[in-house]
Amino acid sequence: MCGHCNLEPEFVLHCLLDCHKVHAVWDSFGADNFAWFWLENNIVKWIQKGINDIGTRFITIIWWIWRARCDECISLQVITTQMVMHRASMMASDIDKCYGVSAVSVKQVRWVSWVFPISNVTVLNVDGSSLGNPCWSVP
């Protein structure tokens, strides 16, 4: 029997999606915004769709749902819906910071050059640099 509800057989899909205690987590997340979310009966396809459509947050919610289930079954510790959502959100943020493309700032190097001006023109260097002539550079 399910370690959360003790009402249904403990299948993975039930533990991660169908259990009424887990519904509160997914409702809090906004699963109703995804048409496929409650309709998939194949755990592998459900996870693949979740990864493709939702991403890191989906995986971290699954992880925290499973962790909450194990904590409740093994150590009789209850992790609330709010705790699952908060911890999943924090974990997703950390993962995105470490591995996410959007979290990486890519600086492009842009080489600039100076073209000698036409005669009778005075040029004032105002950017503070004096490449190749450090003794004339003023900080």
Side-chain angles (χ1 to χ4, degrees), residues 33-44:
N33 295 328
F34 302 93
W36 55 266
F37 199 88
W38 302 108
L39 304 176
E40 188 58 63
N41 291 326
N42 181 308
I43 185 73
V44 174

Side-chain angles (χ1 to χ4, degrees), residues 17-89:
L17 177 66
D18 296 330
C19 178
H20 73 275
K21 287 191 175 183
V22 173
H23 263 265
V25 173
W26 292 119
D27 288 342
S28 174
F29 169 70
D32 290 338
N33 295 328
F34 302 93
W36 55 266
F37 199 88
W38 302 108
L39 304 176
E40 188 58 63
N41 291 326
N42 181 308
I43 185 73
V44 174
K45 289 181 181 178
W46 181 70
I47 290 174
Q48 288 172 338
K49 286 180 183 178
I51 292 169
N52 292 334
D53 291 357
I54 302 168
T56 308
R57 186 98 186 261
F58 178 78
I59 293 300
T60 58
I61 291 171
I62 287 176
W63 192 89
W64 274 104
I65 286 171
W66 193 258
R67 164 101 188 250
R69 175 217 165 266
C70 291
D71 283 351
E72 194 169 328
C73 293
I74 297 168
S75 63
L76 303 177
Q77 225 178 7
V78 176
I79 298 179
T80 66
T81 297
Q82 292 79 15
M83 290 168 61
V84 168
M85 291 307 296
H86 175 72
R87 291 175 180 174
S89 179

Side-chain angles (χ1 to χ4, degrees), residues 106-114 127 129 131:
V106 178
K107 292 184 180 181
Q108 293 184 350
V109 175
R110 186 178 76 147
W111 292 98
V112 294
S113 63
W114 182 70
D127 67 358
S129 68
L131 296 176

